[in-house]
Amino acid sequence: MNYLVISPFYPENFQPFTIELAKQEGVTVLGIGQEPYDQLPEELRNALTEYFRVENLENLDEVKRAAAFLIYKHGPIDRVESHNEHWLETDAALREQFNIFGAKPSQLKKTKFKSEMKKYFVKAGVPVVPGQVVKVDKDIDKAVKKIGFPMIAKPDNGVGAAATFKLLNQQDLAAFREYWNGQTVYFFEKLVESSELCTYDGLIDSKGNVVFETTFNYVYAPLELLEAKKDNAYYILKEMDPKLQEYGRSIIKAFGMKERFFHIEFFRNGDDYIALEYNNRPAGGFTVDVYNYAHSIDLYQDYANVVTGKEVADRPYEPQYCLAVTRRDATNYAHSEEEFLAKYAANVKMVRRMPRAFAELQGDTIYILTTDNRDVLNDMIAFVGKTV
């Protein structure tokens, strides 16, 4: 099997995907990236049979030429993947160009556009709120009539909370109209009056079966992070609500993806849930590591097993709560890093500086901690994030 990794160097925490694949018998791992070969760590270089450096990974024609060269030299490519939102469309274009297994551009439509996601949520029988695509100015009036205030406006094809607006009244709507360039297609939805945002995350095998599933709660929703520069904080739950599990599995079946990670966001609405967004990849940042620490597993190895048709490893350990929390260099905290690392020394699993691309939204340093006790979890959230 020839496996092509797009951007094997960045983000650095995804390098284990390449390294674990290279350990699989019969797998040749190839890479295309824009970093100089000498910049790659030795373990990553050793995992790559060949690395083709391009001047600009954004240049699809250049990437296609690189892939064509690797195919000429090594034979057909069996898989291509980045696991990165930014390169999902590049991955899909290469699969289509070279007839490679996996999601093609036409299949990405349902995972890239919020308006399309909603159709599949409805197909899965999962609650949603009313929505309206806004392409031209008159569509805004249709949205107001159909949905009514309060609403949320976000790019139909967008990630996270960027360029998102709360529309509580006509004044907010006027401000949006002034901002909007009329070129970006927006999607208006009824604003959900809930601050509880949770997820259904996991890994699907080549037959479409869920082989790993978990859930986490956000301490602050992404829009709140963006608006108030809060510290990013979320935590894996020890147990999953059966209703959330049922909804999540129905959505996976409706979307029909295979051999992929997924990250689905929901609002918790009393005893029920409202589907918000489907992401055709693992959650961003260091969340794969958070999954691993919470469940005492190795998803980098599990993914390599899935790709090569093997069973994933047994799950002998009970899950723990696992907290991922960031701090910002510019924030004045009540407790120093030394203080809280000493206080929770038995709980700390990882401390890392955040890549620049994530730091502005999420914070500068991330801390990952585990515990079996919900009260300790709550104490950690409060202690680490307390400001002066």
Side-chain angles (χ1 to χ4, degrees):
M1 170 186 280
N2 287 330
Y3 191 107
L4 175 59
V5 181
I6 302 300
S7 188
F9 176 79
Y10 185 86
E12 293 181 37
N13 56 300
F14 277 10
Q15 291 177 17
F17 281 121
T18 300
I19 293 163
E20 289 300 328
L21 280 163
K23 295 176 183 177
Q24 298 285 325
E25 186 177 353
V27 177
T28 297
V29 188
L30 309 167
I32 299 176
Q34 61 187 34
E35 292 81 15
Y37 181 73
D38 291 344
Q39 186 178 331
L40 275 57
E42 182 179 4
E43 190 174 15
L44 182 60
R45 292 200 305 268
N46 291 339
L48 292 166
T49 297
E50 184 158 357
Y51 175 73
F52 195 111
R53 181 180 180 268
V54 294
E55 289 298 320
N56 183 5
L57 209 51
E58 303 278 0
N59 185 331
L60 182 57
D61 287 338
E62 188 182 8
V63 175
K64 285 182 176 180
R65 288 194 295 272
F69 172 81
L70 293 172
I71 290 170
Y72 170 77
K73 189 170 179 181
H74 298 278
I77 302 294
D78 299 285
R79 298 289 189 275
V80 58
E81 187 58 69
S82 65
H83 299 295
N84 192 320
E85 180 74 36
H86 192 74
W87 305 119
L88 288 184
E89 291 176 273
T90 297
D91 299 342
L94 290 173
R95 294 188 194 108
E96 184 168 71
Q97 177 77 28
F98 300 106
N99 193 28
I100 301 168
F101 171 90
K104 309 298 193 294
S106 61
Q107 295 170 287
L108 282 192
K109 183 180 179 183
K110 59 190 173 187
T111 66
K112 293 291 291 182
F113 295 91
K114 295 175 177 63
S115 55
E116 292 295 320
M117 294 175 196
K118 188 179 290 289
K119 296 175 185 177
Y120 286 86
F121 293 150
V122 171
K123 180 181 177 182
V126 177
V128 297
V129 292
Q132 171 73 45
V133 175
V134 172
K135 296 181 178 179
V136 295
D137 192 71
K138 65 180 181 181
D139 292 334
I140 295 177
D141 298 323
K142 289 181 184 177
V144 173
K145 185 175 181 180
K146 175 182 176 181
I147 303 169
F149 296 111
M151 296 184 291
I152 195 89
K154 47 194 173 184
D156 196 21
N157 181 6
V159 181
T164 295
F165 295 82
K166 281 184 183 179
L167 307 177
L168 305 181
N169 48 47
Q170 288 290 347
Q171 185 176 349
D172 291 339
L173 193 62
F176 170 79
R177 274 190 156 113
E178 187 175 341
Y179 162 86
W180 186 44
N181 60 13
Q183 302 298 313
T184 302
V185 177
Y186 262 76
F187 189 61
F188 283 28
E189 285 185 302
K190 191 71 176 178
L191 180 66
V192 179
E193 300 290 351
S194 171
S195 60
E196 296 184 57
L197 190 62
C198 64
T199 74
Y200 176 70
D201 293 9
L203 175 63
I204 314 164
D205 70 12
S206 60
K207 296 182 178 66
N209 301 311
V210 175
V211 295
F212 166 71
E213 59 189 352
T214 192
T215 179
F216 66 77
N217 285 350
Y218 289 95
V219 176
Y220 304 108
L223 184 58
E224 193 172 359
L225 285 180
L226 190 68
E227 291 179 336
K229 295 286 187 187
K230 294 280 191 180
D231 295 326
N232 191 26
Y234 58 95
Y235 52 91
I236 301 285
L237 295 169
K238 290 175 65 173
E239 297 178 350
M240 186 183 303
D241 182 347
K243 179 176 281 189
L244 178 64
Q245 183 183 54
E246 179 186 348
Y247 284 165
R249 290 182 176 180
S250 295
I251 289 171
I252 292 302
K253 185 176 180 180
F255 274 79
M257 292 297 175
K258 295 179 180 180
E259 211 174 275
R260 301 196 60 79
F261 286 93
F262 59 86
H263 167 58
I264 309 171
E265 295 180 343
F266 294 83
F267 280 110
R268 188 175 287 108
N269 186 32
D271 294 331
D272 209 351
Y273 300 86
I274 297 171
L276 177 63
E277 189 167 310
Y278 183 106
N279 294 278
N280 204 24
R281 53 162 176 81
F286 289 87
T287 309
V288 174
D289 300 288
V290 179
Y291 300 151
N292 284 340
Y293 284 120
H295 294 270
S296 301
I297 57 176
D298 185 346
L299 281 166
Y300 302 108
Q301 185 179 79
D302 286 348
Y303 175 76
N305 286 340
V306 163
V307 167
T308 53
K310 299 186 182 77
E311 298 291 325
V312 300
D314 291 335
R315 314 292 195 205
Y317 303 107
E318 288 294 317
Q320 301 180 81
Y321 296 109
C322 187
L323 171 67
V325 60
T326 61
R327 279 187 158 194
R328 298 179 185 275
D329 294 345
T331 301
N332 190 12
Y333 294 97
H335 307 287
S336 69
E337 180 181 81
E338 291 75 15
E339 281 182 275
F340 86 75
L341 290 181
K343 180 178 174 67
Y344 298 108
N347 307 94
V348 175
K349 298 298 180 183
M350 191 175 89
V351 179
R352 292 278 181 86
R353 292 292 289 178
M354 293 289 282
R356 287 193 304 273
F358 305 138
E360 182 177 357
L361 175 62
Q362 298 186 12
D364 299 288
T365 304
I366 185 169
Y367 309 88
I368 297 177
L369 308 94
T370 60
T371 179
D372 283 323
N373 188 293
R374 184 62 185 256
D375 290 336
V376 173
L377 171 71
N378 293 336
D379 288 344
M380 290 192 299
I381 294 170
F383 191 89
V384 173
K386 186 177 181 181
T387 56
V388 176

